[in-house]
């Protein structure tokens, strides 16, 4: 039999039909929707007079737009409120489960899926949001889609997609002190660039990847989209099975045993062929930080801003434009630069382990006076856990306040906007111009590096404190 | 979403020689709050087009009267970042039917095709030639021939072939979308579920 990759195995078992000279029709097991990319899809559906084919396979939550304080009050911004209400209405009309603001199941869509055990190995999962790649951490094919495709899934539980190429990224060896999954992600993107993965679906493997917790794997797969890939995935193993077992929507009893046996087959065959292969040594990775305006512009925190030497034409212009936006000069030392804001949260680093790491770091220290910090849990469940573990007290004592769940300053669609020209050390995933508010300057980093910046008020190597 | 059929187009082009143009630039997140597909063209490249007091930024190509046309020419890795289809809507709504680059991000490319926009991939060298042609004559004409998959610089007669998936080509030529096709597959989908 032909050797197959993990991706092939799942993809091939979900092909409903191959269209001649065209994309494949792929069956979708789970569909997540949120308030921003779904309203036009529902409108389209209604215009066609079509119904939602399998409402039980779609789960909804409002996350992009919601305020992160006073969630019990009605949303002040009229447009945001309208979008959130529209989602609720559409769900009620079409029989879709809706986890509203303030309810137990609320949170960023990519955080609640795994939390509830909805995300499982071997599935095909889509959402009108590029960071759907997060769910690939479980050995699922998960990727972001546009609104037309949201409509397709609602109407037919299928989408049409050309089969992507396959890429293997192995990271082997032991991770250095202070290096997290986020640093692996930023390192890999810096190495292969923001377009290095275009046209591909990535499988991450190697001993450094296997050593990651489920949450770390989610952080890594979340960021896989930032190298241009359709998504990233990691073969499920004992860490995965232990995480899923017992969650609300996980198979139970006999069904568990049967499903587990299948999940154990989900790995790339030893002689499977990938179109592109990269290998990295974990020993070369240090805590990372970005200095420019795309996630590929990251460097080890001890390094200086690279020079544009060797760049020509548009490459050089683009590089200079980026540094100008950031207010940085070639050759600048990153460590010691003043910052203004710290954001901990998002579907990249908004899970309990991220807040544990942050709280542990700031314990007994004080937030720097020049820093405004937004600590935003990824979901209600994470918020409750933070409280249950007594992390709130640690945070409060150090001068930090906990906000309520949502996407928040990751994309600044709500009120959590970084003011123009200000520097924000952020655990989110994108540092594009204006991503965190018009004129905002974003420095992507791990929760540890964010914590070090929060207590010193400047870019600081977290290893100094470890 | 219904859109006009596409066969051939002859037009001048607007140059945007910037790389990695991400969807947050094409349409910033704060403009994604609509629940209908209307008026996105006004906010296309909003923060590059207008300053804080909503005054047009004079040297941005979309604000320069000398540039016009239904073709947008961008630097490599166009459309990276978020999956927001609003980016494609904004481009279409503004009046572009073709985007040319040496490289497109995957999701954007799919979204463009689903909305009647033709993404044309040319070599980095040919892309430079297009920018040069616009530089030499702001009104330089280009021909996009979908049937023969050819992009031609009229002034020099130089042309480049581009690829497009045959199914997508069929859809674009006839103004069809995937959704009706999928709905028509109801029985096959039901059979697959068993
Ligand atoms: S947290 Fe950020 S990246 Fe994640 S879903 Fe929300 S806006 Fe998108």
């Amino acid at each position: 039999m032909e050797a197959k990759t993990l991706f092939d195995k799942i993809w091939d078992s979900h092909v409903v039909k191959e269209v001649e000279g065209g994309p494949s029709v792929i069956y979708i097991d789970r569909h997540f929707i949120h308030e921003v990319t779904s309203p036009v899809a529902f409108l389209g559906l209604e215009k066609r007079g079509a119904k939602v084919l399998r409402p039980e396979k779609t789960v909804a939550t409002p996350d992009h737009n919601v305020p992160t304080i006073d969630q019990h009050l009605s949303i002040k911004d009229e447009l945001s409120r309208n979008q959130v209400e529209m989602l609720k209405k559409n769900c009620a009309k079409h029989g879709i489960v809706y986890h509203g603001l303030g309810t137990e199941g609320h949170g960023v869509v990519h955080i609640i899926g795994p939390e509830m055990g909805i995300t499982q190995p071997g599935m095909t999962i889509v959402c009108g949001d590029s960071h759907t790649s997060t769910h690939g951490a479980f050995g699922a094919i998960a990727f972001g889609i546009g609104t037309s495709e949201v409509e397709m899934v609602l109407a037919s539980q299928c989408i049409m997609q050309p089969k992507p190429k396959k890429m293997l990224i192995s990271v082997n060896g032991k991770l250095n002190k202070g290096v997290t999954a986020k640093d692996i992600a930023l390192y890999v993107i810096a190495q292969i660039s923001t377009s290095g993965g275009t046209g591909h679906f990535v499988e991450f493997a190697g001993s450094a990847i296997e050593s990651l917790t489920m949450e770390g794997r989610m952080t890594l797969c979340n960021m896989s989209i930032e190298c241009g890939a359709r998504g990233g995935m990691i073969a499920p193993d004992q860490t995965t099975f232990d995480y899923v077992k017992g969650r609300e929507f996980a198979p139970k009893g006999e069904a568990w045993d049967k499903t587990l046996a299948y999940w154990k087959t989900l790995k790339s065959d030893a002689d499977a062929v990938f179109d592109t292969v990269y290998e990295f040594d974990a020993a070369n990775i240090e805590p990372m930080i970005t200095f420019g305006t795309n996630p590929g512009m990251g460097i080890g925190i001890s390094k200086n801003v690279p020079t544009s030497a060797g760049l020509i034409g548009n490459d050089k212009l683009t590089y200079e434009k980026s540094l100008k936006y950031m207010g940085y000069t070639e050759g600048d030392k990153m460590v010691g630069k003043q910052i203004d804001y710290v954001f901990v949260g998002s579907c990249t680093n908004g899970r309990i382990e991220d807040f544990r790491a942050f709280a542990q770091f700031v314990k007994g220290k004080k937030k720097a006076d020049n820093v405004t910090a937004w600590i935003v849990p990824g979901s209600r469940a994470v918020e409750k856990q933070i409280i249950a573990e007594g992390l709130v007290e640690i945070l409060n004592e150090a001068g930090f306040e906990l906000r309520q769940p949502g996407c928040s300053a990751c994309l600044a669609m709500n009120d959590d906007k970084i003011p123009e020209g200000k520097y924000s050390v952020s655990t989110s995933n994108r540092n594009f111009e204006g991503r965190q508010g018009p004129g905002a300057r974003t420095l992507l980093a791990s929760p540890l590096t964010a914590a070090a910046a929060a207590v010193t008020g400047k870019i600081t190597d977290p290893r100094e404190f470890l | 979403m219904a859109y006009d059929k596409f066969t051939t187009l002859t037009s001048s082009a607007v140059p945007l020689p910037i790389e990695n143009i991400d969807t947050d630039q094409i349409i910033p997140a704060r403009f994604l709050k609509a629940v209908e597909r209307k008026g996105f063209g006004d906010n296309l490249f909003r923060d590059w087009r207008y300053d804080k007091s909503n005054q047009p930024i004079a040297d941005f190509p979309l604000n320069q009267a000398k540039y016009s046309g239904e073709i947008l020419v961008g630097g490599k890795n166009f459309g990276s970042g978020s999956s927001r289809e609003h980016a494609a809507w904004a481009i279409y709504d503004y009046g572009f039917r073709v985007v040319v680059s040496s490289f497109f991000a995957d999701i954007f490319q799919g979204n463009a095709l689903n909305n009647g926009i033709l993404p044309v991939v040319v070599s980095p060298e040919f892309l430079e030639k297009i920018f040069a042609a616009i530089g030499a004559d702001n009104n330089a004409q280009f021909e996009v021939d979908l049937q023969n998959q050819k992009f031609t610089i009229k002034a020099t007669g130089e042309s480049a072939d581009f690829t497009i998936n045959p199914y997508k080509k069929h859809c674009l030529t006839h103004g069809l979308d995937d959704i009706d096709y999928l709905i028509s597959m109801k029985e096959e989908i039901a059979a697959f579920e068993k």
Side-chain angles (χ1 to χ4, degrees), chain A residues 222-241:
Chain A
N222 172 281
M223 293 286 290
S224 62
I225 174 82
E226 305 306 337
C227 69
R230 289 298 272 128
M233 65 200 310
I234 296 171
D237 59 10
Q238 200 55 46
T239 305
T240 323
F241 310 142

Side-chain angles (χ1 to χ4, degrees), chain A residues 13-15 17 19 21-23 25 27 36 40 43 48 54 65 77 80 83 86 128-130 144-148 151-152 156 158 160 194-195 198-199 230 294 314-315 318 321 411 413 420 430 432-433 435 438, chain B residues 1 17-20 22 24-25 29-30 32-37 48 52 76-77 81-86 89 103-104 106-107 111 114-115 128 131 165-167 177-183 185 188-189 192-193:
Chain A
S13 68
H14 285 80
V15 173
K17 186 179 178 177
V19 179
V25 177
Y27 192 80
V36 178
V40 172
L43 265 187
R48 280 172 221 268
R54 299 281 175 254
N65 251 319
D77 181 271
S80 297
Q83 259 191 348
M86 189 65 89
D129 185 283
S130 53
I145 55 177
T147 297
S148 298
E151 192 180 335
M152 289 177 212
S156 69
C158 289
M160 302 186 69
T194 53
S195 56
T198 304
R230 289 298 272 128
N294 73 55
N314 285 337
D315 285 326
T318 304
K321 180 173 184 289
L411 93 166
M413 263 187 94
E420 181 175 1
R430 287 186 174 140
F432 298 145
E433 285 183 28
R435 171 79 179 184
Chain B
M1 190 50 84
I18 301 168
E19 294 179 357
N20 304 316
D22 58 75
D24 275 87
Q25 309 317 316
R30 60 186 190 281
L32 308 184
K33 297 190 185 192
V35 292
E36 282 176 288
R37 196 192 143 166
W48 285 352
K52 270 168 288 163
K76 91 170 166 227
N77 199 21
S82 139
S83 61
R84 61 188 70 159
E85 196 157 319
H86 311 69
W89 300 339
F103 204 95
F104 287 97
D106 287 332
I107 301 183
N111 284 342
N114 282 335
N115 287 281
E128 286 309 318
F131 283 131
N165 178 296
Y167 167 81
D177 72 15
D178 293 347
I179 303 170
D180 289 323
Y181 177 81
L182 285 173
I183 291 176
M185 278 183 59
E188 280 163 274
I189 293 168
F192 177 87
E193 286 178 323

Side-chain angles (χ1 to χ4, degrees), chain A residues 71 100-106 380:
Chain A
Q71 288 187 345
L101 210 56
T103 65
E104 293 302 299
H106 178 253
R380 256 301 257 210

Side-chain angles (χ1 to χ4, degrees), chain A residues 277-294:
Chain A
V277 177
Y278 286 102
E279 272 178 53
F280 299 109
D281 183 350
N284 294 334
I285 308 177
E286 63 168 325
M288 299 284 293
I289 193 152
T290 61
F291 60 91
T293 54
N294 73 55

Side-chain angles (χ1 to χ4, degrees), chain A residues 63-64 108-110 129 131 346-347 407 410-411 429 435:
Chain A
D63 52 4
H64 283 61
V108 177
V109 64
H110 309 309
D129 185 283
H131 293 97
S346 87
C347 59
C407 293
C410 175
L411 93 166
N429 41 59
R435 171 79 179 184

Side-chain angles (χ1 to χ4, degrees), chain A residues 181-197:
Chain A
K182 180 64 163 288
D183 302 298
I184 302 178
L186 288 172
Y187 177 84
V188 168
I189 303 161
Q191 296 293 316
I192 74 174
S193 91
T194 53
S195 56

